[in-house]
Amino acid sequence: MTTRPSKRRKRRVVVTAGPTHEHVDPVRYLGNESSGKMGFELARAAAARGDSVVLIAGPVHQETPKGVKRVDVVSARDMLAATREAFERADVLIMAAAVADWRPKRRRAGKWREKDSGAEEATLELVKNPDILATLGRRKGDRLIVGFALETGGGRRRALAKMQRKNTDYIVLNDASALRADASTVLILGCDGSEVRLENRSKREIARRLVRLERPVSG
Ligand code: C5P
């Protein structure tokens, strides 16, 4: 006699994706090279498993995966507000977004016209953005939280420190070659000391693997 595998409980998954834009004035901003591909693949993979997915997307040109609820945001502060709200009802948070660490201290109402003064140099004052992952990590409860770390050159030690500081269950370490690319090499570090390396895999394949992660059982 064959027994049917027990039905998996549907999870409420929140995924963040893409860069944030931090405006200097109405037409200029500080941004980064993130395409949002990894986050969109994660949302697609979670929805395909039957999870209920909220995708909080920075400014990117990506099609919304089927069955995913998308919330578009621009700045890190917008992303924090939207993610915090979705997090309240979530079982899983995957922070794949490349959140800007800094924003201009002042957003000018009109165009920044520093050059009109004839100056050859200008200074843009920056202030620190909130760390979304660390903020929500402090209210983790029994949620599963996965963060990303993009490091240039190694960075395993820094990624492990990040996992501790931001209170995540896993950190996915990748390097700058992942930006805009379809494939990536990642090291999935778990707070239980586990390490899984996925070498030169498509982001779709990496996403399928990541949405299967469970909370590590603490010894
Ligand atoms: O500190 P670092 O930016 O390398 O950390 C990367 C991780 O933290 C990513 O998961 C990113 O989404 C998240 N992050 C965040 N808020 C920030 C900066 C990074 O949630 N202001």
Side-chain angles (χ1 to χ4, degrees):
M1 196 180 89
T2 54
T3 50
R4 287 222 341 243
S6 63
K7 206 162 169 269
R8 195 180 65 85
R9 190 174 74 86
K10 181 176 170 151
R11 303 196 290 187
R12 291 164 300 179
V13 179
V14 178
V15 180
T16 65
T20 63
H21 287 179
E22 311 296 328
H23 277 83
V24 174
D25 67 18
V27 291
R28 304 185 184 100
Y29 57 80
L30 301 177
N32 62 65
E33 291 286 338
S34 168
S35 63
K37 269 183 197 150
M38 190 69 240
F40 275 66
E41 288 297 352
L42 284 160
R44 184 194 319 281
R49 290 188 88 203
D51 286 336
S52 136
V53 184
V54 178
L55 171 61
I56 297 166
V60 291
H61 300 282
Q62 299 281 349
E63 227 176 277
T64 312
K66 231 173 65 203
V68 167
K69 182 185 168 203
R70 174 173 179 171
V71 179
D72 285 310
V73 296
V74 177
S75 69
R77 287 187 295 174
D78 298 341
M79 186 173 277
L80 172 62
T83 310
R84 179 182 264 155
E85 193 188 325
F87 182 77
E88 293 300 322
R89 294 176 301 278
D91 304 302
V92 180
L93 169 66
I94 310 181
M95 277 292 309
V99 185
D101 290 324
W102 303 91
R103 68 173 182 277
K105 188 169 181 181
R106 195 159 80 79
R107 177 180 177 155
R108 287 153 177 85
K111 262 180 92 181
W112 189 29
R113 299 202 177 277
E114 205 74 356
K115 72 171 180 199
D116 295 355
S117 71
E120 292 296 323
E121 277 183 26
T123 303
L124 185 60
E125 274 194 283
L126 303 176
V127 292
K128 197 80 188 288
N129 264 332
D131 189 315
I132 301 169
L133 194 50
T135 304
L136 299 179
R138 285 193 282 275
R139 301 205 267 124
K140 183 174 185 296
D142 52 14
R143 296 174 185 85
L144 169 73
I145 301 188
V146 181
F148 275 71
L150 191 136
E151 303 288 351
T152 45
R156 192 175 156 281
R157 224 186 50 228
R158 270 202 301 277
L160 288 170
K162 236 162 246 183
M163 180 155 59
Q164 272 222 325
R165 194 171 69 245
K166 303 193 187 206
N167 198 24
T168 68
D169 296 290
Y170 295 93
I171 284 277
V172 182
L173 173 63
N174 53 17
D175 66 33
S177 65
L179 285 168
R180 298 190 171 277
D182 287 321
S184 180
T185 294
V186 298
L187 183 63
I188 307 167
L189 302 166
C191 64
D192 56 349
S194 62
E195 288 193 19
V196 175
R197 189 176 163 86
L198 303 177
E199 190 94 35
N200 197 24
R201 308 286 173 86
S202 70
K203 288 186 176 172
R204 185 156 295 185
E205 194 182 337
I206 293 169
R208 288 195 186 120
R209 189 70 179 257
L210 293 177
V211 297
R212 285 182 162 69
L213 289 174
E214 304 274 349
R215 281 187 73 195
V217 185
S218 52

